[in-house]
């Protein structure tokens, strides 16, 4: 079955058409600047990218352009749209309602809408994409795959904050965690790759991308993760602060004369390694600046790696041990000097890095030495493929 995977943001939309049996990507691309001017990037497997500038006032026109490109007689991936058997949608927040993927019905859409408060930047955009697809592809089954679902197995002690309990009861203020599709995919693959017993395994997944999070997976189930009510908590990220003393918010608001929206903007968009370094949020730029001896870039990388190492230590404590650790996402898969910095803290776990293996980029590999007590791997993530698999399983 051909599955169209859609990841819809407020002004952009990424898509892939995947043939589920072979798991081959038939075509992929994105729509950018929806509601502004509009740009479609389309690439059929084996061909060059096609870029079309065209008006996309809403997501509906954007999705229509994607469908037109997918069955364009010259470079289309399918001869007819009826060859698309299902659509899998990424949905950011499923609250406590969704602990797994779900077939999208009117009732389910209402329940997703009820989670909008928890992810006001993301869920409404996801819903717009789902509704536009349902209008343009009537009768095609659609599945929602939630970023939060994999983390729903966390015990209460891991997801409750030290806040008045009534905030949890009234507003559902708690840790939810994100990147769940990736943590699920990578933890399962790690267990398979190392031939571990899934029902007796302790693994840690470090999803280190522009957004970064880490999770503790005990016997195949998530027991803790670093992102919280929102994706701002936890690791130091590209432009997000991660954990800070919450009192800093009031302090900065007063000093900089900012309201709460202004402070949140600083924490989400002007902090992290970009805010620290003043260079970039991108680790390719940071690595260059680091090698040139740029002092702030050096601190940014040190702070980033130190925070990851501290979280790994805390998750070893949470699980009373660890069998294997996986690095994934842009930085985890590609940036060997950051992996090296993190692993340098983990000698107490009996980990020794294999320097040559650690040069790997974007492929599955063990990067610890054979005599290490804990095995460390690079496991590339593939959220689109995970969404495709979930979709096929449900339809
Ligand atoms: P992600 O959000 O998963 O796409 O990760 C983006 C981060 O990965 C950026 O900081 C990139 O600098 C970093 N990265 C390093 N090398 C690569 C690479 N070869 N391809 C993609 N991302 C990379």
């Amino acid at each position: 079955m051909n599955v169209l995977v859609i990841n819809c943001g407020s002004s952009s939309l990424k898509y892939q058409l995947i043939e589920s049996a072979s798991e081959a990507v038939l075509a992929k691309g994105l729509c950018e600047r929806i509601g502004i001017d509009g740009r479609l990037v389309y690439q059929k497997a084996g061909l060059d990218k096609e870029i079309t500038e065209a008006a996309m006032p809403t997501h509906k026109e954007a999705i229509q352009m994607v469908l037109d490109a997918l069955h364009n007689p010259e470079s289309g991936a399918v001869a007819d749209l009826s060859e698309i058997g299902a659509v899998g949608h990424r949905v950011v927040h499923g609250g406590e309602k969704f602990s797994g993927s779900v077939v999208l019905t009117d009732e389910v859409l209402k329940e997703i809408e009820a989670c909008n408060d928890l992810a006001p930047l993301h869920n409404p955009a996801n819903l717009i994409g789902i509704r536009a697809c349902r209008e343009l592809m009537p009768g095609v089954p659609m599945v929602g795959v939630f970023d939060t679902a994999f983390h729903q197995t966390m015990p209460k002690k891991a997801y409750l904050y030290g806040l008045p309990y009534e905030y949890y009861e009234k507003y559902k203020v708690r840790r939810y965690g994100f990147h769940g599709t990736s943590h699920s995919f990578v933890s399962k693959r790690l267990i398979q790759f190392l031939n571990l017993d899934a029902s007796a395994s302790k693994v840690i997944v470090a999803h280190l991308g522009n957004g970064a999070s880490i999770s503790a997976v005990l016997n195949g189930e998530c027991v803790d993760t670093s992102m919280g009510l929102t994706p701002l908590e936890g690791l130091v990220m590209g432009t997000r602060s991660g954990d800070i003393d919450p009192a800093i918010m009031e302090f900065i608001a007063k000093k900089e004369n900012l309201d709460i929206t202004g402070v949140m903007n600083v924490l989400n968009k002007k902090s992290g390694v970009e805010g620290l370094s003043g260079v970039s949020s991108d680790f390719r730029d940071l690595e260059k600046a680091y090698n040139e001896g740029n002092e702030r870039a050096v601190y940014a990388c040190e702070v980033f790696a130190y925070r990851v190492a501290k979280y790994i230590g805390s998750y070893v404590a949470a699980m009373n041990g660890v069998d294997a650790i996986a690095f994934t996402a842009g930085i985890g898969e590609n940036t060997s000097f950051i992996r090296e910095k993190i692993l340098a803290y983990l000698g107490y776990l009996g980990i020794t890095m294999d320097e040559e293996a650690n040069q790997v980029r974007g492929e599955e590999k063990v990067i610890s030495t054979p005599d290490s007590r804990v095995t460390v791997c690079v496991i590339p993530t593939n959220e689109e493929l995970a969404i495709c698999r979930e979709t096929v399983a449900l339809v």
Side-chain angles (χ1 to χ4, degrees):
M1 182 200 295
N2 295 328
V3 177
L4 180 59
V5 175
I6 300 239
N7 180 354
C8 195
S10 55
S11 68
S12 68
L13 178 160
K14 291 188 208 142
Y15 64 92
Q16 280 194 9
L17 185 68
I18 302 176
E19 201 282 304
S20 63
S22 61
E23 301 195 329
V25 177
L26 305 180
K28 64 179 179 181
L30 72 157
C31 297
E32 291 172 303
R33 301 177 62 83
I34 302 169
I36 306 167
D37 37 25
R39 182 170 187 260
L40 170 79
V41 180
Y42 171 80
Q43 186 173 27
K44 184 184 174 181
L47 298 184
D48 288 339
K49 274 185 190 162
E50 295 171 21
I51 297 175
T52 316
E53 314 274 347
M56 293 174 194
T58 71
H59 289 74
K60 193 170 165 192
E61 288 84 12
I63 291 168
Q64 184 65 61
M65 284 191 69
V66 171
L67 296 178
D68 291 346
L70 285 171
H71 81 293
N72 172 318
E74 275 152 38
S75 57
V78 291
D80 191 278
L81 287 182
S82 62
E83 291 172 35
I84 300 177
V87 183
H89 292 270
R90 174 188 181 216
V91 183
V92 168
H93 218 306
E96 287 189 325
K97 184 79 204 172
F98 299 102
S99 54
S101 305
V102 63
V103 175
L104 296 168
T105 60
D106 290 341
E107 192 51 40
V108 168
L109 293 196
K110 274 191 210 138
E111 285 168 343
I112 295 175
E113 207 159 3
C115 302
N116 279 4
D117 257 9
L118 294 168
L121 296 180
H122 295 102
N123 269 30
N126 300 154
L127 281 164
I128 289 171
I130 293 168
R131 293 199 165 109
C133 263
R134 289 177 103 209
E135 249 184 274
L136 294 168
M137 306 172 81
V140 177
M142 313 230 166
V143 169
V145 180
F146 299 89
D147 267 26
T148 48
F150 180 64
H151 305 303
Q152 277 296 304
T153 47
M154 276 187 288
K156 224 167 183 163
K157 66 184 177 190
Y159 73 67
L160 283 181
Y161 289 115
L163 288 170
Y165 191 73
E166 70 211 57
Y167 295 161
Y168 169 61
E169 289 180 310
K170 281 201 284 190
Y171 311 123
K172 295 289 169 209
V173 172
R174 51 159 284 179
R175 174 182 312 288
Y176 289 96
F178 297 86
H179 295 138
T181 315
S182 176
H183 286 286
S184 167
F185 180 90
V186 172
S187 58
K188 286 181 179 67
R189 182 60 204 144
L190 176 67
I191 286 166
Q192 207 178 33
F193 184 58
L194 296 180
N195 258 321
L196 300 177
D197 175 359
S199 62
S201 58
K202 297 173 178 178
V203 309
I204 293 174
V205 176
H207 175 111
L208 309 180
N210 194 33
S213 67
I214 181 158
S215 65
V217 182
L218 179 65
N219 305 332
E221 290 192 339
C222 177
V223 290
D224 209 343
T225 191
S226 59
M227 284 179 168
L229 174 77
T230 76
L232 184 54
E233 194 183 347
L235 302 176
V236 176
M237 307 180 212
T239 62
R240 291 181 215 145
S241 63
D243 300 338
I244 57 163
D245 176 351
I248 291 173
M249 298 176 70
E250 186 197 20
F251 187 87
I252 295 296
K254 284 185 178 157
K255 292 281 184 201
E256 296 273 314
N257 197 20
L258 291 170
D259 61 9
I260 190 71
T261 311
V263 176
M264 291 310 292
N265 190 47
V266 171
L267 297 186
N268 274 304
K269 303 207 173 123
K270 297 188 175 166
S271 301
V273 288
E274 178 170 300
L276 276 168
S277 68
V279 172
S280 170
S281 61
D282 192 304
F283 271 79
R284 286 166 283 200
D285 303 329
L286 283 168
E287 184 169 9
K288 189 166 170 280
Y290 181 98
N291 288 331
E292 288 164 2
N294 178 317
E295 205 177 336
R296 279 175 58 186
V298 171
Y299 288 139
C301 295
E302 300 289 358
V303 170
F304 180 88
Y306 179 63
R307 180 76 56 89
V308 176
K310 283 210 296 184
Y311 262 96
I312 290 175
S314 69
Y315 289 168
V316 173
M319 295 192 290
N320 190 20
V322 62
D323 302 315
I325 299 171
F327 286 107
T328 195
I331 302 156
E333 291 169 29
N334 295 293
T335 313
S336 49
F337 90 107
I338 291 292
R339 291 193 299 249
E340 181 175 349
K341 279 191 177 302
I342 296 165
L343 293 179
Y345 290 102
L346 305 182
Y348 72 98
L349 292 173
I351 293 174
T352 313
M353 192 189 73
D354 178 332
E355 273 185 39
E356 201 187 318
N358 186 44
Q359 298 312 309
V360 66
R361 280 176 180 271
E363 60 180 88
E364 285 180 349
K365 197 167 185 99
V366 174
I367 60 167
S368 50
T369 56
D371 60 344
S372 287
R373 283 207 305 276
V374 175
T375 311
V376 183
C377 298
V378 169
I379 303 281
T381 191
N382 191 338
E383 289 167 275
E384 290 78 14
L385 178 57
I387 293 174
C388 169
R389 286 180 185 166
E390 291 279 308
T391 303
V392 172
L394 282 175
V395 304

